[in-house]
Amino acid sequence: MKHLLILFLIINSTISFSQTYDAQIVNNNNDTINTKILIKGGMIFKNNKILSIQEKITVLSGNSQKDYYPKDIKSFRIRLDGKKSQTYDNVDNLLFAERLYSNKIKLYYKLVRKETNRSPYFVIYRVFLVKKPNDEKIVDLYPNGFSRLITQDEMLKKFTDCKISFDKIKNDEIKIRNEDILVEFITDYEKNCFNN
């Protein structure tokens, strides 16, 4: 019983506090501001932290807090879990998504939480977003392969607008096994069809 009480107190204290992270925000006037971002609830798992900052961020300024939604700022940079800093961009004023590549084509990463009927009653999965120049529609890439991050069929469906890249996928010259190869593909895709 004593061990159960100690475990309960540890879990309760973990849930009841918030964490602050050094960050930089870029406002809509392109001003860069050094600040701190507050993630409420003392989230232990990185996926929960990412999910919480995709909708809005809470910025500390002195003794006050202010919530920023995607429409309010262009981007922010934050270091989660002591690793390298990640940049999150405003994507169509709908969400903040992690920037993986940004030039004429943009490649983003986001997490999606979906409720289920089975314990633990939700699943979290990844989605990569590709935004092409002068295109309103964002291409969603769903990682669902076993030996590949993104299957050949998924790539063939989403990249029909560029014959050079489409042929490379069709001929199995490109195998998207991880995020680094996906970034290489997007760079090559941009070079092949968006360099005008």
Side-chain angles (χ1 to χ4, degrees):
M1 185 67 170
K2 186 177 181 180
H3 296 292
L4 193 57
L5 181 61
I6 292 171
L7 181 63
F8 174 75
L9 290 173
I10 290 171
I11 290 171
N12 190 34
S13 68
T14 302
I15 292 171
S16 63
F17 72 91
S18 300
Q19 297 172 324
T20 59
Y21 297 89
D22 291 328
Q24 292 179 321
I25 61 171
V26 177
N27 65 21
N28 289 328
N29 296 326
N30 284 328
D31 299 324
T32 301
I33 302 161
N34 292 323
T35 190
K36 292 199 179 288
I37 291 178
L38 175 72
I39 297 181
K40 299 175 183 175
M43 297 180 187
I44 299 170
F45 302 107
K46 184 176 179 185
N47 283 351
N48 290 336
K49 292 176 186 177
I50 292 170
L51 284 167
S52 75
I53 62 176
Q54 286 181 165
E55 291 180 18
K56 69 173 180 173
I57 57 171
T58 302
V59 173
L60 296 177
S61 179
N63 292 329
S64 64
Q65 301 174 11
K66 182 174 180 183
D67 290 338
Y68 287 92
Y69 294 88
K71 66 179 177 52
D72 299 326
I73 61 174
K74 288 188 174 183
S75 66
F76 67 91
R77 190 173 186 86
I78 188 170
R79 182 186 315 246
L80 296 172
D81 301 331
K83 296 183 180 177
K84 67 176 188 167
S85 294
Q86 292 113 350
T87 301
Y88 288 81
D89 289 334
N90 166 354
V91 178
D92 292 344
N93 289 336
L94 299 174
L95 78 144
F96 293 118
E98 183 179 346
R99 180 194 309 161
L100 298 178
Y101 178 79
S102 179
N103 200 3
K104 291 178 183 173
I105 295 179
K106 315 282 188 223
L107 175 65
Y108 301 109
Y109 165 84
K110 73 172 182 175
L111 292 177
V112 175
R113 180 184 166 125
K114 183 178 178 183
E115 304 298 321
T116 65
N117 293 330
R118 297 176 63 186
S119 179
Y121 303 108
F122 68 91
V123 292
I124 296 174
Y125 60 91
R126 300 181 293 170
V127 178
F128 295 95
L129 310 170
V130 179
K131 187 167 176 130
K132 301 173 190 178
N134 303 321
D135 195 351
E136 296 291 320
K137 188 178 175 193
I138 293 176
V139 176
D140 292 340
L141 296 174
Y142 296 94
N144 55 6
F146 291 108
S147 63
R148 301 178 192 209
L149 179 67
I150 301 171
T151 64
Q152 183 181 26
D153 288 342
E154 175 84 353
M155 296 293 287
L156 286 172
K157 282 189 253 177
K158 305 293 173 75
F159 294 97
T160 57
D161 61 339
C162 180
K163 181 164 177 28
I164 297 168
S165 296
F166 182 83
D167 288 344
K168 285 182 180 182
I169 298 165
K170 190 174 182 181
N171 297 331
D172 217 15
E173 294 174 39
I174 295 177
K175 297 174 184 175
I176 309 296
R177 290 195 172 104
N178 57 43
E179 288 180 13
D180 292 334
I181 295 172
L182 178 59
V183 171
E184 288 174 19
F185 168 76
I186 293 297
T187 306
D188 186 60
Y189 172 63
E190 179 182 72
K191 183 182 77 176
N192 291 332
C193 296
F194 295 94
N195 244 354
N196 298 334

